Amino acid sequence: MLNPTQRQALRTIAEGGPLSRSDLAERLDLSKAAMTTLVRDLIQDGILRETEIVRGLGRPSILLGINPACAYFVGVSLIDDPMMMVLTDLNGDILAQASLPRSREPLAVARDVAAGIGLLLDGKPVQRDQLAGIGVTLSGLVDPSQGACLQSTLLGWQDVPLSAMVEGATSLPTYMENDAKAVAISQHLYGAARDVRSFCLVSVGAGIGSAHVIDGQLYRGRRGGAGEIAHCTIEIGGRPCRCGKRGCLDTIASVSAILGEAASSGLPCQSVAELEALAATGEARAVRILHHAGEALGLAIAHIIQINDPELILITQEEAPLDGLIGRAMRQAIDAHVLPLSAGQTPIHIVRTQPDHWARGAAGLVAHKFFHDPDFFQ
């Protein structure tokens, strides 16, 4: 078990990168003797390592970094079909991945995860006892404290204690979270939001998700539903949504909704890029659909900016739907619907998702526990 000072040292290096002993001591407000003891113990335990020598005007400094091989994490994405699993190290680098058929039967999922771990470790210099835990991400409402999926329309689940099932099948600690929230945690730890304390993530793909990190902490709300902009009503009396309401953002700006509207309008496109190409030729129906979707998404993001005043809006996207007309319409709508003094003041960063996007986010859940949960090492 790590003591609070050791955990604080790990977090400081994880957030700021390799540091010299003197810089680390200053940030932790430790004496030279205390720092010597702390670093010696963490190096002996294989958690810290000396990385490089930096030469300046004074004596050369040896930088301390986290040993990425001191812990490994498994990430499981139930967003993907087939189910994707990844093995990552403490730096968030993927060492192996595997795909298995995605079942909708919870006990079968648990058994498949156990089998997938064997595939991930096969031929890798990683032992099973080096695995710190498993992260699982899915589409729906999740109660992480109970390790339960409260509801998932995609999987047809309600009140499923999946974490306990996976732990029973694997004998490894298992943590579960909503897809967008897991990616927000991972982006804050390893990605584009690493250098900010407060940001909002919006994921745009077949569906739309969102998550808020405020002062370095994921904000979940009372029941875990904070950030569900997909089901904010944007158009009164609009199209029916799978949630039972009408006019939700998801029915206008998700990739599924855009392509569905295109097909209904006589434009059977296979991707948003195809629709953008048609719009570029002056096809009025394509222009209308894309502008409507971008405007709706921009309105929703403008509301987020007005409510949270974040340092950053981070948008993750599949198949580049925010290139071209839809992206321009989104940005115009954001500026039009925030207070004039706020227009253009919130950075908007767009990240193209990779096939391992959700599974990597799931592994990031466990890495976050490693750095922040005081009970993790007990």
Side-chain angles (χ1 to χ4, degrees):
M1 175 181 174
L2 298 183
N3 63 44
T5 303
Q6 290 173 323
R7 286 171 16 83
Q8 187 180 0
L10 283 185
R11 287 198 301 270
T12 301
I13 294 175
E15 293 171 359
L19 295 169
S20 67
R21 285 169 170 80
S22 58
D23 286 341
L24 186 59
E26 182 178 351
R27 296 193 187 195
L28 299 181
D29 194 22
L30 293 178
S31 67
K32 182 178 180 180
M35 177 54 56
T36 299
T37 300
L38 180 143
V39 170
R40 181 197 63 210
D41 292 344
L42 289 176
I43 289 178
Q44 287 179 349
D45 291 340
I47 296 174
L48 287 186
R49 64 177 182 176
E50 295 179 336
T51 59
E52 59 180 308
I53 298 176
V54 177
R55 301 184 186 278
L57 296 177
R59 295 177 59 187
S61 296
I62 300 175
L63 298 186
L64 298 168
I66 294 174
N67 178 9
C70 73
Y72 297 93
F73 314 108
V74 173
V76 180
S77 167
L78 297 180
I79 310 297
D80 299 298
D81 190 6
M83 176 179 78
M84 177 169 281
M85 297 178 61
V86 297
L87 173 69
T88 69
D89 62 19
L90 201 55
N91 283 338
D93 294 326
I94 292 180
L95 307 179
Q97 60 184 44
S99 295
L100 296 91
R102 186 186 69 190
S103 174
R104 293 194 175 201
E105 203 284 304
L107 285 174
V109 170
R111 290 193 295 268
D112 290 342
V113 170
I117 290 174
L119 297 176
L120 292 175
L121 296 181
D122 186 32
K124 297 294 183 296
V126 179
Q127 302 302 312
R128 189 182 179 87
D129 60 8
Q130 292 177 282
L131 300 179
I134 301 170
V136 180
T137 187
L138 52 79
S139 173
L141 288 175
V142 172
D143 182 351
S145 64
Q146 301 297 319
C149 171
L150 302 180
Q151 184 178 33
S152 173
T153 303
L154 178 67
L155 296 170
W157 290 357
Q158 187 164 353
D159 296 325
V160 174
L162 186 68
S163 289
M165 296 178 180
V166 174
E167 287 186 6
T170 64
S171 300
L172 288 169
T174 301
Y175 309 93
M176 186 165 53
E177 186 53 275
N178 162 271
D179 49 1
K181 291 180 175 62
V183 170
I185 290 171
S186 183
Q187 286 289 328
H188 190 41
L189 190 60
Y190 296 122
R194 182 172 181 173
D195 295 328
V196 298
R197 295 286 295 170
S198 297
F199 72 98
C200 297
L201 177 137
V202 178
S203 65
V204 180
I208 292 177
S210 183
H212 308 303
V213 172
I214 299 174
D215 195 23
Q217 300 295 319
L218 178 70
Y219 179 70
R220 309 192 74 262
R222 184 173 66 88
R223 298 182 59 250
E228 285 291 334
I229 64 166
H231 300 290
C232 288
T233 302
I234 296 296
E235 203 166 65
I236 301 295
R239 289 178 177 272
C241 181
R242 56 192 169 91
C243 74
K245 303 195 290 106
R246 283 182 172 271
C248 294
L249 179 64
D250 215 36
T251 68
I252 305 170
S254 67
V255 171
S256 296
I258 292 169
L259 296 182
E261 179 66 13
S264 298
S265 300
L267 302 171
C269 297
Q270 301 302 308
S271 67
V272 175
E274 288 184 27
L275 195 62
E276 287 278 4
L278 284 176
T281 69
E283 168 55 62
R285 290 168 294 177
V287 170
R288 173 183 58 80
I289 293 166
L290 292 168
H291 193 275
H292 188 209
E295 195 171 51
L297 183 60
L299 176 60
I301 292 173
H303 289 164
I304 290 175
I305 292 172
Q306 289 295 131
I307 293 169
N308 283 354
D309 190 21
E311 296 174 62
L312 172 72
I313 295 289
L314 177 60
I315 302 176
T316 62
Q317 60 166 346
E318 299 174 16
E319 65 163 280
L322 299 183
D323 294 343
L325 176 59
I326 187 172
R328 292 194 297 274
M330 176 194 73
R331 291 178 184 272
Q332 289 168 0
I334 292 172
D335 286 344
H337 293 292
V338 296
L339 288 171
L341 288 176
S342 298
Q345 298 302 304
T346 304
I348 297 172
H349 185 72
I350 299 175
V351 175
R352 178 77 180 272
T353 62
Q354 301 300 316
D356 53 30
H357 178 69
W358 303 110
R360 183 192 293 266
L365 286 176
V366 198
H368 183 267
K369 290 283 184 181
F370 183 94
F371 287 117
H372 294 275
D373 190 342
D375 298 327
F376 192 91
F377 294 95
Q378 291 183 358

